[in-house]
């Protein structure tokens, strides 16, 4: 089964919901584990989330193209490959940032990032699995919002 083309709006919603939920789960635990303030870890996780949001849209667009080009089926094996590829790219972007922001060594930032990956790998897997299963409802919701906006524009006096 190939995937339907996704709009920029849908990609943004998918990634935005992913990151908001992850920050809420991750920042307090990371602050406690690192002995840092919730502010420090909150800012770091928010910046990482912004980087991940942009990376998510780019990575998933490319992954979808490969999936469609080669007629791949979105199964368990492909989801595992998808999650590992995404996290590897993110690791390479995040380690220098974490080391600088938290004033820790690159090695410590690497260890922190590995801990984050251990959270994000299963989280990304299950989030995307749930999204795939609920995508049709999300599309209907987006279409209703678009329809509501069109109706409001049509009845608004000029």
């Amino acid at each position: 089964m190939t995937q339907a083309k996704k709009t920029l709006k849908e990609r943004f919603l998918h990634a935005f919901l992913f990151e908001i939920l992850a920050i809420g789960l991750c920042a307090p635990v990371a602050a406690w584990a690192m002995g840092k303030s919730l502010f420090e870890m909150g800012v770091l996780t928010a910046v990482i989330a912004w980087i991940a949001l942009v990376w998510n849209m780019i990575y998933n667009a490319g992954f979808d193209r490969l999936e469609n080009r080669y007629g791949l089926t979105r199964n368990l094996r492909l989801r595992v490959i998808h999650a590992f590829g995404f996290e590897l790219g993110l690791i390479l972007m995040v380690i220098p940032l974490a080391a600088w922001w938290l004033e820790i060594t690159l090695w410590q930032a690497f260890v922190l990032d590995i801990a984050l990956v251990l959270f994000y790998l299963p989280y990304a897997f299950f989030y995307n699995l749930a999204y795939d299963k609920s995508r049709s409802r999300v599309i209907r919701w987006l279409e209703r919002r678009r329809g509501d906006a069109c109706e409001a524009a049509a009845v608004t006096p000029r």
Side-chain angles (χ1 to χ4, degrees), residues 17-59:
L17 292 174
F18 177 92
E19 296 304 338
I20 290 298
L21 183 57
I23 290 169
L25 294 169
C26 196
V29 174
W32 172 78
M34 292 290 297
K36 300 290 183 179
S37 73
L38 184 56
F39 173 79
E40 287 176 297
M41 291 310 293
V43 169
L44 180 62
T45 56
V47 170
I48 291 170
W50 181 251
I51 291 167
L53 184 123
V54 173
W55 174 233
N56 186 304
M57 291 189 316
I58 293 167
Y59 181 80

Side-chain angles (χ1 to χ4, degrees), residues 9-22:
K9 188 178 205 176
E10 182 187 353
R11 287 187 190 287
F12 181 82
L13 180 65
H14 172 267
F16 182 76
L17 292 174
F18 177 92
E19 296 304 338
I20 290 298
L21 183 57

Side-chain angles (χ1 to χ4, degrees), residues 15-153:
F16 182 76
L17 292 174
F18 177 92
E19 296 304 338
I20 290 298
L21 183 57
I23 290 169
L25 294 169
C26 196
V29 174
W32 172 78
M34 292 290 297
K36 300 290 183 179
S37 73
L38 184 56
F39 173 79
E40 287 176 297
M41 291 310 293
V43 169
L44 180 62
T45 56
V47 170
I48 291 170
W50 181 251
I51 291 167
L53 184 123
V54 173
W55 174 233
N56 186 304
M57 291 189 316
I58 293 167
Y59 181 80
N60 284 321
F63 198 89
D64 287 351
R65 281 192 186 96
L66 288 175
E67 191 176 33
N68 286 328
R69 171 177 275 171
Y70 296 107
L72 302 174
T73 300
R74 198 171 281 204
N75 56 23
L76 178 64
R77 180 174 174 263
L78 194 61
R79 267 295 171 208
V80 169
I81 291 167
H82 176 268
F84 272 97
F86 177 83
E87 292 301 332
L88 180 61
L90 194 57
I91 282 173
L92 296 174
M93 292 180 259
V94 166
I95 289 173
L97 172 68
W100 170 76
W101 177 251
L102 297 175
E103 297 178 339
I104 58 178
T105 66
L106 288 173
W107 176 252
Q108 290 169 315
F110 175 74
V111 171
L112 170 62
D113 203 56
I114 293 302
L116 290 173
V117 167
L118 291 176
F119 162 77
Y120 272 96
L121 272 174
Y123 171 74
F125 174 80
F126 287 112
Y127 177 88
N128 284 304
L129 196 61
Y131 186 86
D132 288 347
K133 297 222 179 274
S134 64
R135 183 173 183 266
S136 63
R137 284 178 285 190
V138 171
I139 296 299
R140 282 194 304 273
W141 179 77
L142 288 171
E143 288 171 352
R144 261 195 323 270
R145 287 188 44 99
R146 184 179 20 222
D148 292 346
C150 290
E151 284 178 24

